[in-house]
């Protein structure tokens, strides 16, 4: 199963959007480093932040998983980013090129639990 984890960039309050814009280089660097470190596992960076409007941004990773334990590292990564940068995250699966969200977690949504997310994904 191909999953994705994205930083929630839509429906942000002005203060949240400003903070996201300020932290964008650090977030991009952290996600790039994770993708490069896990390239052997076909982890791919999603970095579509060219628009002036944060709502149009897509920033995160895609990650193939076959077992629920494969979710531990990416969920831990995004939990850490949420704590450090005050962001929320979206997780879901990719089927036929379309993303389908199954859960949200982070600063405002609460800490992500890999086991529960695996249940939502049907792993």
């Amino acid at each position: 199963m191909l999953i994705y984890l994205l930083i929630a960039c839509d429906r942000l309050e002005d203060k949240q959007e400003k903070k996201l814009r300020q932290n964008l280089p650090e977030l991009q660097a952290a996600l790039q480093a994770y993708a490069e470190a896990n390239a052997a596992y076909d982890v791919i960076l999603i970095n579509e932040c060219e628009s002036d409007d944060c709502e149009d941004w897509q920033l995160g990773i895609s990650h193939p998983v076959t077992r629920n334990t494969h979710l531990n590292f990416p969920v831990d990564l995004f939990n850490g980013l949420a704590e450090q940068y005050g962001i929320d995250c979206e997780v879901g699966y990719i089927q036929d090129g379309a993303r389908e969200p199954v859960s949200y977690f982070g600063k405002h949504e609460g800490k992500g639990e890999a086991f529960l997310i695996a249940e939502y994904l049907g792993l």
Side-chain angles (χ1 to χ4, degrees):
M1 171 181 286
L2 185 60
I3 64 147
Y4 70 90
L5 293 101
L6 293 176
I7 293 172
C9 298
D10 59 341
R11 295 173 286 196
L12 299 178
E13 297 173 4
D14 289 341
K15 184 178 175 183
Q16 292 171 305
E17 186 173 315
K18 183 178 179 185
K19 189 172 182 181
L20 178 61
R21 287 181 186 278
Q22 289 173 340
N23 294 322
L24 182 62
E26 290 88 358
L27 290 165
Q28 288 171 317
L31 293 171
Q32 178 71 39
Y34 182 85
E36 288 174 0
N38 291 283
Y41 302 107
D42 296 324
V43 174
I44 298 174
L45 176 68
I46 301 168
N47 187 6
E48 301 165 14
C49 300
E50 296 82 28
S51 172
D52 290 335
D53 189 359
C54 280
E55 287 214 10
D56 296 333
W57 291 0
Q58 300 285 303
L59 179 60
I61 57 170
S62 66
H63 199 306
V65 295
T66 54
R67 297 188 319 213
N68 60 358
T69 56
H70 295 161
L71 289 172
N72 291 337
F73 291 117
V75 170
D76 286 347
L77 168 70
F78 277 80
N79 276 328
L81 294 174
E83 188 175 312
Q84 184 174 358
Y85 296 105
I87 58 167
D88 284 320
C89 310
E90 174 184 309
V91 60
Y93 61 90
I94 301 172
Q95 187 171 6
D96 299 325
R99 295 185 190 124
E100 187 64 41
V102 297
S103 184
Y104 298 87
F105 64 95
K107 172 74 174 173
H108 302 95
E109 297 286 339
K111 187 175 180 177
E113 299 286 338
F115 177 78
L116 289 175
I117 292 168
E119 290 291 314
Y120 299 148
L121 290 167
L123 286 175

